[in-house]
Coordinates of all heavy atoms in Angstrom, one line a residue:
M1 N 0.8 -1.2 0.0 CA 0.0 0.0 0.0 C 0.9 1.3 0.0 O 1.8 1.3 0.8 CB -0.9 0.0 1.2 CG -2.2 0.7 1.0 SD -3.4 0.4 2.4 CE -2.8 1.7 3.5
A2 N 0.5 2.2 -0.8 CA 1.3 3.4 -0.9 C 1.2 4.2 0.4 O 0.1 4.4 0.9 CB 0.9 4.2 -2.1
K3 N 2.3 4.7 0.8 CA 2.2 5.6 2.0 C 1.7 6.9 1.7 O 2.0 7.6 0.7 CB 3.7 5.7 2.5 CG 3.7 5.8 4.0 CD 5.2 5.8 4.5 CE 5.3 6.8 5.7 NZ 6.7 7.1 5.9
Q4 N 0.7 7.4 2.5 CA 0.1 8.7 2.3 C 1.1 9.8 2.7 O 1.6 9.7 3.8 CB -1.2 8.8 3.1 CG -2.3 8.2 2.3 CD -3.3 9.3 1.9 OE1 -3.7 10.1 2.7 NE2 -3.6 9.3 0.6
I5 N 1.3 10.8 1.9 CA 2.1 11.9 2.2 C 1.2 13.0 2.7 O 0.3 13.4 2.1 CB 2.9 12.4 1.0 CG1 3.8 11.2 0.5 CG2 3.8 13.6 1.4 CD1 4.3 11.4 -0.9
P6 N 1.5 13.4 4.0 CA 0.6 14.5 4.5 C 0.7 15.8 3.7 O 1.8 16.1 3.2 CB 1.1 14.7 5.9 CG 2.4 14.0 6.1 CD 2.5 13.1 4.9
A7 N -0.3 16.5 3.6 CA -0.3 17.8 2.9 C -0.2 19.0 3.8 O -0.6 18.9 5.0 CB -1.6 17.9 2.1
R8 N 0.5 20.0 3.3 CA 0.6 21.2 4.1 C 0.3 22.4 3.2 O 0.4 22.3 2.0 CB 2.1 21.4 4.6 CG 2.5 20.4 5.6 CD 1.8 20.6 7.0 NE 2.3 19.7 8.0 CZ 1.7 18.5 8.2 NH1 0.7 18.1 7.5 NH2 2.2 17.7 9.2
V9 N 0.0 23.5 3.8 CA -0.3 24.7 3.0 C 0.9 25.6 3.0 O 1.5 25.9 4.0 CB -1.6 25.5 3.7 CG1 -1.8 26.8 2.9 CG2 -2.8 24.6 3.6
C10 N 1.2 26.1 1.7 CA 2.3 27.0 1.5 C 1.9 28.4 2.1 O 0.8 28.9 1.8 CB 2.6 27.1 0.1 SG 3.7 28.5 -0.4
I11 N 2.7 29.0 2.9 CA 2.4 30.3 3.5 C 2.6 31.5 2.5 O 2.2 32.6 2.8 CB 3.3 30.6 4.7 CG1 4.8 30.6 4.4 CG2 2.9 29.7 5.9 CD1 5.6 31.3 5.5
G12 N 3.1 31.1 1.3 CA 3.2 32.1 0.2 C 1.9 32.1 -0.7 O 1.1 33.0 -0.6
C13 N 1.8 31.1 -1.5 CA 0.7 31.1 -2.5 C -0.6 30.5 -1.9 O -1.7 30.6 -2.5 CB 1.1 30.2 -3.7 SG 1.5 28.5 -3.3
G14 N -0.5 29.9 -0.7 CA -1.7 29.4 0.0 C -2.2 28.0 -0.6 O -3.2 27.6 -0.2
E15 N -1.4 27.4 -1.5 CA -1.8 26.2 -2.1 C -1.5 25.0 -1.1 O -0.5 25.0 -0.5 CB -1.1 25.9 -3.4 CG -1.9 26.5 -4.6 CD -1.1 26.2 -5.9 OE1 -0.7 25.1 -6.1 OE2 -0.9 27.2 -6.6
K16 N -2.4 24.0 -1.2 CA -2.1 22.8 -0.4 C -1.4 21.8 -1.2 O -1.8 21.5 -2.3 CB -3.5 22.2 0.0 CG -3.4 21.3 1.3 CD -4.8 21.0 1.7 CE -4.7 20.1 3.0 NZ -6.1 19.7 3.4
K17 N -0.2 21.4 -0.7 CA 0.6 20.5 -1.4 C 1.2 19.4 -0.5 O 1.2 19.5 0.7 CB 1.8 21.2 -2.0 CG 1.4 22.2 -3.1 CD 2.6 22.8 -3.8 CE 2.2 23.8 -4.9 NZ 3.3 24.3 -5.6
E18 N 1.6 18.3 -1.2 CA 2.3 17.2 -0.4 C 3.5 17.8 0.3 O 4.2 18.6 -0.3 CB 2.7 16.1 -1.3 CG 1.5 15.3 -1.8 CD 1.8 14.2 -2.8 OE1 3.0 14.2 -3.3 OE2 1.0 13.4 -3.1
K19 N 3.7 17.4 1.5 CA 4.8 17.9 2.3 C 6.1 17.8 1.7 O 6.9 18.7 1.9 CB 4.8 17.0 3.6 CG 5.1 17.7 4.9 CD 5.0 16.8 6.0 CE 6.0 17.1 7.1 NZ 5.9 16.1 8.2
N20 N 6.4 16.8 0.9 CA 7.7 16.7 0.2 C 7.9 17.6 -0.9 O 9.0 17.7 -1.5 CB 8.0 15.2 -0.2 CG 7.0 14.7 -1.2 OD1 6.1 15.4 -1.6 ND2 7.2 13.5 -1.6
K21 N 6.9 18.4 -1.3 CA 7.0 19.4 -2.4 C 7.3 20.7 -1.8 O 7.5 21.7 -2.5 CB 5.7 19.4 -3.2 CG 5.3 18.1 -3.8 CD 5.5 18.2 -5.3 CE 5.1 17.0 -6.1 NZ 4.6 15.8 -5.4
L22 N 7.2 20.8 -0.5 CA 7.4 22.0 0.3 C 8.7 21.9 1.1 O 9.3 20.9 1.3 CB 6.2 22.3 1.2 CG 4.8 22.4 0.5 CD1 3.8 22.3 1.6 CD2 4.7 23.6 -0.3
I23 N 9.1 23.1 1.6 CA 10.2 23.1 2.5 C 9.8 23.8 3.8 O 9.0 24.7 3.8 CB 11.5 23.6 1.9 CG1 12.7 23.3 2.8 CG2 11.4 25.1 1.6 CD1 14.0 23.2 2.1
R24 N 10.3 23.3 4.9 CA 9.9 23.9 6.2 C 10.8 25.0 6.6 O 12.1 24.9 6.4 CB 9.9 22.8 7.3 CG 9.4 23.2 8.6 CD 9.3 21.9 9.5 NE 8.8 22.3 10.8 CZ 9.6 22.3 11.9 NH1 10.8 21.9 11.8 NH2 9.1 22.6 13.1
I25 N 10.2 26.1 7.0 CA 11.0 27.2 7.6 C 10.8 27.1 9.1 O 9.7 26.9 9.6 CB 10.6 28.6 7.1 CG1 10.7 28.7 5.6 CG2 11.3 29.7 7.8 CD1 10.0 30.0 5.1
V26 N 11.9 27.0 9.8 CA 11.8 26.9 11.3 C 12.4 28.1 12.0 O 13.4 28.7 11.6 CB 12.4 25.5 11.7 CG1 13.9 25.5 11.5 CG2 12.1 25.2 13.2
R27 N 11.7 28.5 13.1 CA 12.2 29.6 13.9 C 13.0 28.9 15.0 O 12.4 28.3 15.9 CB 11.0 30.3 14.4 CG 11.3 31.5 15.3 CD 10.0 32.1 15.9 NE 10.3 33.2 16.8 CZ 10.6 33.0 18.1 NH1 10.6 31.8 18.7 NH2 10.7 34.1 18.9
I28 N 14.3 29.1 15.0 CA 15.2 28.5 16.0 C 15.1 29.3 17.3 O 15.0 28.7 18.4 CB 16.6 28.6 15.4 CG1 16.8 27.9 14.1 CG2 17.6 28.0 16.5 CD1 16.6 26.5 14.0
S29 N 15.1 30.6 17.2 CA 14.9 31.4 18.4 C 14.5 32.8 17.9 O 14.3 33.0 16.7 CB 16.2 31.5 19.2 OG 17.2 32.1 18.5
E30 N 14.4 33.7 18.8 CA 13.8 35.0 18.3 C 14.6 35.6 17.2 O 15.8 35.8 17.3 CB 13.8 36.0 19.5 CG 12.8 37.1 19.3 CD 12.8 38.1 20.4 OE1 13.0 37.7 21.6 OE2 12.7 39.3 20.2
G31 N 14.0 35.8 16.1 CA 14.6 36.5 14.9 C 15.6 35.6 14.2 O 16.2 36.0 13.2
V32 N 15.7 34.3 14.6 CA 16.6 33.4 13.9 C 15.8 32.3 13.2 O 15.1 31.5 13.8 CB 17.6 32.7 14.9 CG1 18.6 31.8 14.1 CG2 18.4 33.8 15.7
Y33 N 16.0 32.3 11.8 CA 15.2 31.4 11.0 C 16.1 30.5 10.1 O 17.2 31.0 9.7 CB 14.2 32.1 10.1 CG 13.2 32.8 10.9 CD1 13.4 34.1 11.4 CD2 12.0 32.2 11.2 CE1 12.4 34.7 12.2 CE2 11.0 32.8 11.9 CZ 11.2 34.1 12.4 OH 10.3 34.7 13.2
E34 N 15.7 29.3 9.9 CA 16.5 28.5 9.0 C 15.6 27.6 8.2 O 14.4 27.4 8.5 CB 17.4 27.5 9.8 CG 18.6 28.1 10.4 CD 19.4 27.1 11.2 OE1 19.1 25.9 11.2 OE2 20.4 27.5 11.9
L35 N 16.1 27.2 7.0 CA 15.3 26.2 6.2 C 15.6 24.8 6.9 O 16.8 24.5 7.2 CB 15.8 26.2 4.8 CG 15.5 27.5 4.0 CD1 15.9 27.3 2.6 CD2 14.0 27.8 4.0
D36 N 14.6 24.1 7.0 CA 14.7 22.8 7.6 C 14.4 21.7 6.6 O 13.2 21.3 6.4 CB 13.8 22.7 8.8 CG 13.8 21.4 9.5 OD1 14.7 20.6 9.2 OD2 12.9 21.1 10.2
E37 N 15.4 21.2 6.0 CA 15.3 20.2 4.9 C 14.7 18.9 5.5 O 13.9 18.2 4.9 CB 16.6 19.9 4.3 CG 16.6 19.7 2.8 CD 17.9 19.2 2.3 OE1 19.0 19.5 2.9 OE2 17.9 18.5 1.2
S38 N 15.2 18.5 6.7 CA 14.7 17.3 7.3 C 13.3 17.3 7.8 O 12.6 16.3 8.0 CB 15.7 16.9 8.4 OG 15.6 17.8 9.5
G39 N 12.9 18.5 8.1 CA 11.5 18.7 8.7 C 11.5 18.3 10.2 O 10.4 18.2 10.8
K40 N 12.7 18.2 10.8 CA 12.7 17.6 12.2 C 13.3 18.6 13.2 O 13.5 18.3 14.4 CB 13.5 16.3 12.2 CG 12.8 15.2 11.5 CD 13.6 13.9 11.6 CE 12.8 12.7 10.9 NZ 12.7 12.9 9.5
K41 N 13.7 19.8 12.7 CA 14.3 20.7 13.7 C 13.3 21.2 14.7 O 12.1 21.4 14.3 CB 15.0 21.9 12.9 CG 16.3 21.5 12.2 CD 16.9 22.8 11.6 CE 18.1 22.3 10.7 NZ 18.6 23.5 9.9
N42 N 13.8 21.5 15.9 CA 12.9 22.0 16.9 C 12.6 23.5 16.7 O 13.4 24.3 16.3 CB 13.5 21.9 18.3 CG 13.4 20.4 18.8 OD1 12.5 19.7 18.5 ND2 14.5 20.0 19.5
G43 N 11.3 23.8 16.9 CA 10.9 25.2 16.8 C 9.6 25.3 16.0 O 9.2 24.3 15.5
R44 N 9.1 26.5 16.1 CA 7.8 26.7 15.3 C 8.2 26.7 13.8 O 9.1 27.3 13.4 CB 7.3 28.1 15.7 CG 6.0 28.4 15.0 CD 5.6 29.8 15.4 NE 5.0 29.9 16.7 CZ 3.7 29.7 17.0 NH1 2.9 29.4 16.0 NH2 3.3 29.8 18.2
G45 N 7.4 26.0 13.1 CA 7.7 25.8 11.6 C 6.5 26.3 10.7 O 5.4 26.4 11.2
A46 N 6.9 26.6 9.5 CA 5.9 26.9 8.5 C 6.3 26.3 7.2 O 7.6 26.2 7.0 CB 5.7 28.4 8.4
Y47 N 5.4 25.9 6.3 CA 5.8 25.3 5.0 C 5.7 26.3 3.9 O 4.8 27.1 3.9 CB 5.0 24.1 4.8 CG 5.4 22.9 5.7 CD1 4.8 22.9 7.0 CD2 6.3 22.0 5.3 CE1 5.2 21.9 7.9 CE2 6.7 21.0 6.2 CZ 6.2 20.9 7.5 OH 6.6 20.0 8.3
I48 N 6.6 26.1 2.9 CA 6.6 27.0 1.8 C 7.1 26.2 0.6 O 7.9 25.3 0.7 CB 7.5 28.2 2.0 CG1 7.3 29.3 1.0 CG2 8.9 27.9 2.1 CD1 7.6 30.7 1.5
C49 N 6.6 26.6 -0.6 CA 7.0 25.9 -1.9 C 8.5 26.2 -2.0 O 9.1 27.2 -1.5 CB 6.3 26.5 -3.1 SG 4.6 26.3 -3.1
K50 N 9.2 25.3 -2.8 CA 10.6 25.4 -2.9 C 10.9 26.5 -4.0 O 11.6 26.2 -5.0 CB 11.3 24.1 -3.3 CG 11.2 23.1 -2.1 CD 11.7 21.7 -2.5 CE 11.5 20.7 -1.4 NZ 11.8 19.4 -1.8
N51 N 10.4 27.7 -3.9 CA 10.8 28.7 -4.8 C 10.8 30.1 -4.1 O 10.0 30.3 -3.2 CB 10.0 28.7 -6.1 CG 8.6 29.0 -5.9 OD1 8.2 30.1 -5.4 ND2 7.7 28.0 -6.2
A52 N 11.6 31.0 -4.6 CA 11.8 32.3 -4.0 C 10.5 33.1 -4.2 O 10.2 34.0 -3.4 CB 13.0 33.0 -4.7
E53 N 9.7 32.8 -5.2 CA 8.5 33.6 -5.5 C 7.5 33.5 -4.3 O 6.9 34.5 -3.9 CB 7.9 33.0 -6.8 CG 6.9 33.9 -7.5 CD 7.5 35.3 -7.8 OE1 8.7 35.4 -8.2 OE2 6.7 36.3 -7.6
C54 N 7.4 32.3 -3.8 CA 6.4 32.1 -2.7 C 7.0 32.7 -1.4 O 6.2 33.2 -0.6 CB 6.2 30.6 -2.5 SG 5.0 29.9 -3.7
L55 N 8.3 32.8 -1.3 CA 8.9 33.4 -0.1 C 8.6 35.0 -0.2 O 8.2 35.6 0.8 CB 10.4 33.2 -0.1 CG 11.1 33.5 1.2 CD1 10.5 32.8 2.4 CD2 12.6 33.1 1.1
N56 N 8.7 35.5 -1.4 CA 8.3 36.9 -1.6 C 6.9 37.2 -1.2 O 6.6 38.1 -0.6 CB 8.5 37.3 -3.1 CG 9.9 37.6 -3.5 OD1 10.7 38.1 -2.6 ND2 10.3 37.4 -4.7
L57 N 6.0 36.3 -1.7 CA 4.6 36.4 -1.4 C 4.3 36.3 0.1 O 3.6 37.1 0.7 CB 3.8 35.3 -2.1 CG 3.4 35.5 -3.5 CD1 2.8 34.2 -4.1 CD2 2.4 36.6 -3.6
A58 N 5.0 35.4 0.7 CA 4.8 35.2 2.2 C 5.3 36.4 3.0 O 4.7 36.8 4.0 CB 5.6 34.0 2.6
F59 N 6.3 37.1 2.4 CA 6.8 38.3 3.1 C 5.8 39.4 2.8 O 5.4 40.1 3.8 CB 8.2 38.6 2.5 CG 8.7 39.9 3.1 CD1 9.0 40.0 4.4 CD2 9.0 41.0 2.3 CE1 9.6 41.1 5.0 CE2 9.5 42.1 2.8 CZ 9.8 42.2 4.1
K60 N 5.4 39.6 1.6 CA 4.4 40.7 1.3 C 3.1 40.5 1.9 O 2.5 41.5 2.4 CB 4.3 40.7 -0.3 CG 5.4 41.5 -1.0 CD 5.0 41.7 -2.4 CE 6.2 41.6 -3.3 NZ 5.9 41.1 -4.6
K61 N 2.6 39.3 1.9 CA 1.2 39.1 2.5 C 1.2 38.9 4.0 O 0.2 38.4 4.6 CB 0.6 37.9 1.8 CG 0.4 38.1 0.3 CD -0.6 37.1 -0.3 CE -0.3 35.6 0.1 NZ -1.2 34.7 -0.6
K62 N 2.4 39.0 4.6 CA 2.6 38.9 6.0 C 2.3 37.4 6.5 O 1.9 37.2 7.6 CB 1.6 39.8 6.8 CG 1.8 41.3 6.4 CD 2.8 42.0 7.2 CE 2.9 43.5 6.8 NZ 4.3 44.0 6.8
G63 N 2.5 36.5 5.6 CA 2.3 35.1 5.9 C 3.3 34.6 7.0 O 3.0 33.8 7.8
L64 N 4.5 35.2 6.9 CA 5.6 34.9 7.8 C 5.2 35.3 9.2 O 5.3 34.6 10.2 CB 6.9 35.5 7.4 CG 7.6 34.9 6.2 CD1 8.7 35.8 5.6 CD2 8.2 33.5 6.5
E65 N 4.8 36.6 9.3 CA 4.4 37.1 10.6 C 3.2 36.3 11.2 O 3.3 36.1 12.4 CB 3.9 38.6 10.4 CG 5.0 39.6 10.5 CD 5.6 39.9 9.1 OE1 5.6 39.0 8.2 OE2 6.0 41.0 8.9
R66 N 2.3 36.0 10.4 CA 1.1 35.2 10.9 C 1.6 33.9 11.5 O 1.1 33.4 12.5 CB 0.1 35.0 9.8 CG -1.0 36.0 9.8 CD -2.2 35.5 9.1 NE -2.0 35.0 7.8 CZ -1.9 35.8 6.7 NH1 -2.1 37.1 6.9 NH2 -1.6 35.3 5.5
S67 N 2.5 33.2 10.7 CA 2.9 31.9 11.1 C 3.8 31.9 12.4 O 3.8 31.0 13.2 CB 3.7 31.2 10.0 OG 2.9 31.1 8.9
F68 N 4.6 32.9 12.5 CA 5.7 32.9 13.5 C 5.3 33.9 14.7 O 6.1 34.0 15.6 CB 7.0 33.2 12.9 CG 7.5 32.1 12.0 CD1 7.5 32.3 10.6 CD2 7.9 30.9 12.5 CE1 8.0 31.3 9.8 CE2 8.3 29.9 11.7 CZ 8.3 30.1 10.3
K69 N 4.2 34.6 14.5 CA 3.8 35.5 15.6 C 4.8 36.6 16.0 O 4.9 37.0 17.1 CB 3.4 34.8 16.9 CG 2.6 33.5 16.6 CD 1.1 33.8 16.6 CE 0.3 32.5 16.6 NZ -0.5 32.4 15.4
E70 N 5.7 37.0 15.0 CA 6.6 38.1 15.2 C 6.9 38.6 13.8 O 6.7 37.9 12.8 CB 7.8 37.7 16.0 CG 8.8 36.8 15.2 CD 10.1 36.5 15.9 OE1 10.2 36.7 17.1 OE2 11.0 36.0 15.3
S71 N 7.4 39.8 13.7 CA 7.7 40.4 12.4 C 9.0 39.8 12.0 O 10.0 39.7 12.8 CB 7.7 41.9 12.4 OG 8.7 42.4 13.2
V72 N 9.1 39.4 10.7 CA 10.3 38.9 10.2 C 11.0 39.9 9.3 O 10.4 40.4 8.3 CB 10.0 37.6 9.4 CG1 11.3 37.0 8.8 CG2 9.2 36.6 10.2
P73 N 12.2 40.3 9.7 CA 12.9 41.4 8.9 C 13.2 41.0 7.5 O 13.5 39.8 7.2 CB 14.1 41.7 9.7 CG 14.3 40.6 10.6 CD 13.0 39.9 10.8
E74 N 13.3 41.9 6.6 CA 13.6 41.6 5.2 C 14.9 40.9 5.0 O 15.1 40.1 4.2 CB 13.5 42.9 4.4 CG 13.5 42.6 2.9 CD 13.1 43.8 2.0 OE1 13.1 45.0 2.6 OE2 12.9 43.7 0.8
E75 N 15.9 41.3 5.8 CA 17.2 40.7 5.7 C 17.2 39.2 6.0 O 17.9 38.4 5.4 CB 18.3 41.4 6.5 CG 18.1 41.3 8.0 CD 18.2 42.7 8.7 OE1 17.5 43.6 8.2 OE2 18.9 42.8 9.6
T76 N 16.3 38.8 6.9 CA 16.1 37.4 7.2 C 15.5 36.7 6.0 O 15.9 35.6 5.6 CB 15.2 37.2 8.4 OG1 15.8 37.9 9.5 CG2 15.0 35.7 8.8
V77 N 14.5 37.4 5.4 CA 13.9 36.8 4.2 C 14.9 36.6 3.1 O 14.9 35.6 2.4 CB 12.7 37.7 3.7 CG1 12.0 37.2 2.5 CG2 11.6 37.8 4.9
L78 N 15.8 37.6 2.9 CA 16.8 37.5 1.9 C 17.7 36.4 2.1 O 18.1 35.7 1.2 CB 17.5 38.9 1.8 CG 16.7 40.0 1.2 CD1 17.5 41.3 1.3 CD2 16.3 39.8 -0.3
K79 N 18.1 36.2 3.4 CA 19.0 35.1 3.7 C 18.3 33.7 3.4 O 18.9 32.9 2.8 CB 19.3 35.1 5.2 CG 20.2 34.0 5.7 CD 20.3 34.0 7.2 CE 19.4 33.0 7.9 NZ 19.9 31.7 8.1
L80 N 17.1 33.6 3.8 CA 16.3 32.4 3.5 C 16.2 32.2 2.0 O 16.3 31.1 1.5 CB 14.9 32.4 4.1 CG 14.9 32.3 5.6 CD1 13.5 32.6 6.1 CD2 15.4 31.0 6.1
K81 N 16.0 33.3 1.2 CA 15.9 33.2 -0.2 C 17.1 32.6 -0.8 O 17.1 31.8 -1.7 CB 15.6 34.6 -0.8 CG 14.6 34.5 -1.9 CD 14.4 35.9 -2.5 CE 13.4 36.8 -1.7 NZ 13.3 38.1 -2.3
G82 N 18.3 33.1 -0.3 CA 19.6 32.6 -0.8 C 19.7 31.1 -0.5 O 20.1 30.3 -1.4
E83 N 19.2 30.6 0.7 CA 19.3 29.2 1.0 C 18.3 28.4 0.1 O 18.6 27.3 -0.3 CB 18.9 29.0 2.5 CG 20.0 29.5 3.4 CD 19.6 29.3 4.9 OE1 18.8 28.3 5.1 OE2 20.0 30.1 5.7
L84 N 17.2 29.0 -0.1 CA 16.1 28.4 -0.9 C 16.6 28.1 -2.4 O 16.2 27.1 -2.9 CB 14.9 29.3 -0.9 CG 13.5 28.6 -1.3 CD1 13.2 27.5 -0.3 CD2 12.5 29.7 -1.2
E85 N 17.4 29.0 -2.9 CA 17.9 28.8 -4.3 C 18.6 27.5 -4.4 O 18.7 27.0 -5.5 CB 18.7 30.0 -4.7 CG 17.8 31.1 -5.3 CD 18.4 32.5 -5.2 OE1 19.6 32.6 -5.0 OE2 17.6 33.5 -5.3
N86 N 19.2 27.0 -3.4 CA 19.9 25.7 -3.5 C 19.0 24.5 -3.7 O 19.4 23.5 -4.0 CB 20.7 25.5 -2.2 CG 21.8 26.6 -2.0 OD1 22.4 27.1 -2.9 ND2 22.0 26.9 -0.7
F87 N 17.7 24.8 -3.4 CA 16.8 23.7 -3.5 C 16.0 23.7 -4.8 O 15.3 22.8 -5.1 CB 15.8 23.7 -2.3 CG 16.4 23.4 -1.0 CD1 16.7 24.4 -0.1 CD2 16.8 22.1 -0.7 CE1 17.3 24.2 1.1 CE2 17.4 21.9 0.5 CZ 17.7 22.9 1.4
E88 N 16.1 24.8 -5.5 CA 15.3 25.0 -6.7 C 15.7 24.1 -7.8 O 16.9 23.7 -7.9 CB 15.3 26.4 -7.2 CG 14.4 27.3 -6.3 CD 14.2 28.7 -6.9 OE1 13.8 28.9 -8.0 OE2 14.6 29.7 -6.1
Ligands
ZN101 ZN1 3.7 28.3 -2.7

């Protein structure tokens, strides 16, 4: 029997996708964010498509703020975008 892949909603485009099509952004501590390829890092997480476009959307539409309950500075978004490019 095929294993069911859980679905998550992208905080950028808002589309529901299989978890393995998305990447997790994790809040390590206040103002510190990383991409979590394994999906197992500790901290509050949010899922996003593996493209910079959705990260832009998440930033513009305040999806990041909503998910992490704090404002995420643009330089953090730029850092994540750089990391994200490795997965595209
Ligand atoms: Zn997306």
Side-chain angles (χ1 to χ4, degrees):
M1 209 171 83
K3 215 177 140 193
Q4 276 249 309
I5 300 162
R8 292 288 182 273
V9 174
C10 168
I11 59 166
C13 62
E15 269 179 53
K16 201 170 182 183
K17 295 189 176 182
E18 288 175 348
K19 216 172 146 183
N20 61 359
K21 302 251 180 359
L22 303 167
I23 192 151
R24 188 169 177 254
I25 299 173
V26 65
R27 180 186 178 275
I28 305 291
S29 63
E30 203 184 323
V32 182
Y33 295 85
E34 282 179 12
L35 292 182
D36 177 17
E37 219 191 334
S38 66
K40 292 183 176 68
K41 284 185 189 170
N42 283 325
R44 182 184 283 274
Y47 288 85
I48 192 154
C49 301
K50 293 174 185 173
N51 67 60
E53 201 54 40
C54 283
L55 194 54
N56 278 334
L57 276 172
F59 179 63
K60 278 190 215 145
K61 299 196 310 186
K62 309 268 180 220
L64 289 165
E65 273 90 329
R66 264 201 305 279
S67 298
F68 295 108
K69 318 270 187 239
E70 69 175 14
S71 66
V72 180
E74 191 165 12
E75 64 232 51
T76 303
V77 177
L78 290 173
K79 180 190 95 91
L80 290 173
K81 217 184 279 178
E83 290 178 29
L84 199 60
E85 273 157 16
N86 300 323
F87 294 104
E88 283 186 59

